[in-house]
Amino acid sequence: MVIFNTLSREKETFKPIRKTWVGLYTCGPTVYNYAHIGNLRTYIFEDILERTLVWNGYDVRRVMNITDVGHLTSDADAGEDKIQREAEKEKRSVWDVAQFYTEAFLEDFKKLNIKIPKRLDPATKFIKEQIKLIERLFERGLAYETSKAIYFNVPKFKNYTKLSKQPLNEKIVAARNEVISDPEKRHPADFVLWFKLIDRFKNHIMRWSSPWGMGFPGWHIECSAISTSRLGQPFDIHTGGVDHINVHHTNEIAQSEGAIGKPLARYWMHAEFLIINEARMGKSEGNFITLSKIKEKDINPLAYRYFTLTAHYRSKLNFTWEALQAAQRAFEKLSEEISLLKRNLKRVSAKQNTETYLKRFTKAINDDLNTPQVLAILWETVKSSKLSPNNKLKLILIYDQILGLNLKNVKKPPIIPQNIIKLAEQRELLRANKQFIQSDALRKQINKLGYVVKDTATGSTISKKL
Ligand code: AMP
Ligand code: ZN
């Protein structure tokens, strides 16, 4: 299996650290709002990655954090805590807000057929581990205290830019604004490990005691603490969206490698953005679409999953309603084809060579998760004039172990009785002659008999009434 490692900016052959299991850490949501479909694109990519590892025979230990404290409105330590701000807006407790949006997040996972990670760890359950890590950073001379916070001392850590490859002076420009908020901060690139309850955080609700007084953790330290508590250090693969390369993951590496003196993870994989009107879709950008919005428009969430798989995870994907509707049509067509296959299954499966299809499928998915290629192979299988329905179905369900489109649940179409087909044909003729009153009467008659006719661009379809 070959994957693109952001650390080397190259495709590398995946070699697990241990023989028995693979550690996969996937940065999770900040639960102050619904996930948008951009976030969900990244989670679908991570699901495909997990399924591909399983396909290759690995036992995957997957961990995802839930950020329920410490993520400020700017990734670079400025602004307010996102959850507390939302709680004030909604007049609910911070704990309620975190719980409510965690549940909403899990609902989205179910609708998109994303496997829920075995470990789903809220940051607030790992406070002790985070404090321990900060203490180690003090021991190693990589942390310092001001009257407002505890900081990571960036210039003291040699490999700070190894993931981002972004020169430190560029980062300094980006970070300059918030230096004003703490004159004791030594270097503009230093970032917060622990916030004290001072100034803007005087009334911060989530708070814990620590060797530096009451306070709460900075955003990045939770992932360092949770990932290594669960998976050891180093572990195999760490993932997230591309926005995490320069700040969040760079800081995670600094904290964990600074504290333990070993690499944090071997491979770092990042999903590109879902964009809309040429801008990144984002909660802060205010241009975001949720899965409920998609459902309101009668689009199946799995059609959204299909849509994301049409692009490689390392390419930007442009969202338009038209493109999503086209994906929905393709997904419906696929379901129709599968339901027909189910009707035509033979009692005895023909002996045919399905190996070449399987080889091509494995090669495509093992080539850095080439899902567009896998979809092409899927359609080729569906359309093949050589394969029997049994073998087609068998192959499709194997591909679906990775694609996760829930194709095994596509129903066999009911057999439509001849008298209904006749009535529908008569109706079709009347419609073609623009005799709409008569054609409508026939539609009603068909409906009374328990069937529904629907007119589509390519002709009408009949189905059993639900
Ligand atoms: P957040 O809840 O903001 O921490 O984001 C959750 C995940 O979604 C992270 O891995 C982000 O990198 C990712 N993400 C954020 N915006 C987008 C987007 N427009 N397209 C794809 N992934 C995104
Ligand atoms: Zn993280």
Side-chain angles (χ1 to χ4, degrees):
M1 182 179 171
V2 165
I3 52 182
F4 185 88
N5 190 352
T6 311
L7 264 181
S8 62
R9 305 289 196 270
E10 272 176 22
K11 279 190 189 176
E12 294 176 22
T13 301
F14 175 67
K15 291 196 193 92
I17 296 172
R18 298 165 195 82
K19 283 215 175 79
T20 42
W21 56 273
V22 167
L24 171 62
Y25 187 84
T26 51
C27 283
T30 306
V31 281
Y32 73 105
N33 206 329
Y34 294 104
H36 60 67
I37 57 173
N39 305 133
L40 295 172
R41 178 188 186 200
T42 294
Y43 302 138
I44 294 171
F45 142 70
E46 288 159 347
D47 186 52
I48 297 282
L49 173 62
E50 180 178 356
R51 288 166 184 264
T52 304
L53 288 163
V54 172
W55 170 254
N56 281 278
Y58 298 116
D59 173 18
V60 182
R61 289 195 192 169
R62 170 152 179 216
V63 180
M64 184 179 242
N65 65 305
I66 300 278
T67 302
D68 52 358
V69 67
H71 194 171
L72 303 192
T73 39
S74 139
D75 281 358
D77 299 336
E80 313 158 69
D81 184 296
K82 290 183 178 186
I83 294 180
Q84 181 152 336
R85 192 180 61 164
E86 187 61 26
E88 280 158 14
K89 211 168 91 193
E90 294 187 22
K91 302 205 179 356
R92 305 160 80 169
S93 83
V94 278
W95 303 101
D96 267 6
V97 167
Q99 164 122 21
F100 178 84
Y101 290 112
T102 301
E103 279 164 20
F105 163 79
L106 292 177
E107 276 305 306
D108 285 350
F109 263 43
K110 280 187 211 142
K111 287 183 193 133
L112 288 167
N113 202 24
I114 298 175
K115 285 191 186 156
I116 297 183
K118 281 188 197 136
R119 296 273 177 203
L120 210 54
D121 289 321
T124 52
K125 294 259 160 62
F126 279 76
I127 300 294
K128 241 186 10 226
E129 290 78 357
Q130 298 180 61
I131 291 176
K132 235 190 231 146
L133 207 56
I134 300 171
E135 284 178 321
R136 279 201 81 119
L137 289 171
F138 268 105
E139 282 162 22
R140 293 187 157 231
L142 288 167
Y144 65 91
E145 182 171 1
T146 73
S147 45
K148 297 191 181 195
I150 308 298
Y151 289 96
F152 185 93
N153 195 332
V154 169
K156 282 258 171 85
F157 180 69
K158 293 284 153 321
N159 281 329
Y160 187 68
T161 57
K162 80 177 199 188
L163 183 72
S164 67
K165 327 269 185 230
Q166 183 193 29
L168 205 52
N169 54 356
E170 272 179 30
K171 191 159 180 114
I172 292 169
V173 175
R176 190 157 291 155
N177 289 341
E178 32 96 30
V179 97
I180 303 152
S181 71
D182 189 351
E184 292 169 67
K185 184 169 159 179
R186 295 186 196 158
H187 190 277
D190 294 350
F191 58 90
V192 173
L193 300 166
W194 186 265
F195 287 102
K196 297 185 180 180
L197 302 183
I198 283 179
D199 299 344
R200 60 190 160 137
F201 298 125
K202 236 196 302 200
N203 299 318
H204 201 267
I205 293 164
M206 288 186 177
R207 48 176 72 192
W208 293 266
S209 64
S210 78
W212 320 284
M214 294 297 279
F216 64 99
W219 172 39
H220 318 291
I221 195 80
E222 70 184 70
C223 285
S224 286
I226 296 171
S227 62
T228 54
S229 304
R230 291 289 189 205
L231 302 170
Q233 185 170 334
F235 58 88
D236 296 286
I237 310 178
H238 193 313
T239 67
V242 283
D243 54 325
H244 283 346
I245 299 172
N246 287 352
V247 183
H248 183 53
H249 288 169
T250 286
N251 292 353
E252 275 186 46
I253 289 177
Q255 295 166 154
S256 301
E257 305 195 1
I260 311 291
K262 285 191 226 164
L264 177 57
R266 280 232 183 129
Y267 303 88
W268 290 78
M269 294 175 78
H270 293 96
E272 251 300 349
F273 283 146
L274 181 77
I275 53 174
I276 181 161
N277 298 327
E278 282 164 43
R280 164 194 174 180
M281 184 175 288
K283 287 176 198 160
S284 332
E285 284 74 1
N287 59 2
F288 73 88
I289 293 169
T290 59
L291 206 57
S292 331
K293 187 100 200 162
I294 283 187
K295 281 198 80 187
E296 267 169 36
K297 299 216 175 202
D298 273 339
I299 295 174
N300 184 341
L302 290 176
Y304 178 67
R305 184 173 173 115
Y306 183 100
F307 172 66
T308 68
L309 301 181
T310 59
H312 189 259
Y313 76 90
R314 281 192 293 115
S315 318
K316 289 193 174 67
L317 175 60
N318 191 32
F319 177 84
T320 61
W321 285 106
E322 291 72 28
L324 180 60
Q325 273 146 359
Q328 159 107 332
R329 282 194 295 279
F331 183 62
E332 279 172 358
K333 177 89 183 109
L334 181 62
S335 304
E336 269 167 39
E337 296 278 0
I338 291 169
S339 81
L340 282 176
L341 283 178
K342 285 189 175 170
R343 180 191 284 174
N344 294 330
L345 287 182
K346 302 279 178 301
R347 224 169 262 241
V348 185
S349 185
K351 284 226 165 5
Q352 289 177 316
N353 183 7
T354 49
E355 273 311 300
T356 36
Y357 279 95
L358 276 182
K359 273 199 191 127
R360 285 173 59 211
F361 158 75
T362 307
K363 189 160 175 250
I365 201 63
N366 279 353
D367 180 12
D368 196 29
L369 315 182
N370 193 339
T371 55
Q373 182 81 43
V374 171
L375 286 181
I377 296 170
L378 168 73
W379 278 106
E380 210 183 293
T381 309
V382 169
K383 297 261 149 86
S384 159
S385 56
K386 296 206 178 98
L387 288 169
S388 69
N390 297 42
N391 282 328
K392 282 188 185 182
L393 194 62
K394 189 178 90 188
L395 283 168
I396 291 166
L397 296 186
I398 291 175
Y399 307 156
D400 202 39
Q401 288 175 27
I402 305 267
L403 297 172
L405 295 168
N406 219 348
L407 300 176
K408 72 171 182 306
N409 287 346
V410 170
K411 299 246 177 340
K412 203 155 87 173
I415 298 184
I416 312 285
Q418 274 307 315
N419 62 325
I420 304 287
I421 295 176
K422 282 243 164 67
L423 286 174
E425 281 168 359
Q426 281 170 22
R427 175 180 168 272
E428 224 18 42
L429 272 177
L430 290 167
R431 263 169 53 83
N433 288 334
K434 300 201 181 339
Q435 292 171 274
F436 295 118
I437 296 170
Q438 293 88 329
S439 77
D440 210 42
L442 275 188
R443 189 180 57 75
K444 283 188 185 138
Q445 194 183 336
I446 294 171
N447 205 271
K448 266 203 192 129
L449 294 167
Y451 292 84
V452 188
V453 254
K454 256 198 202 158
D455 298 312
T456 69
T458 50
S460 59
T461 61
I462 323 169
S463 56
K464 215 168 162 50
K465 236 180 5 195
L466 293 175

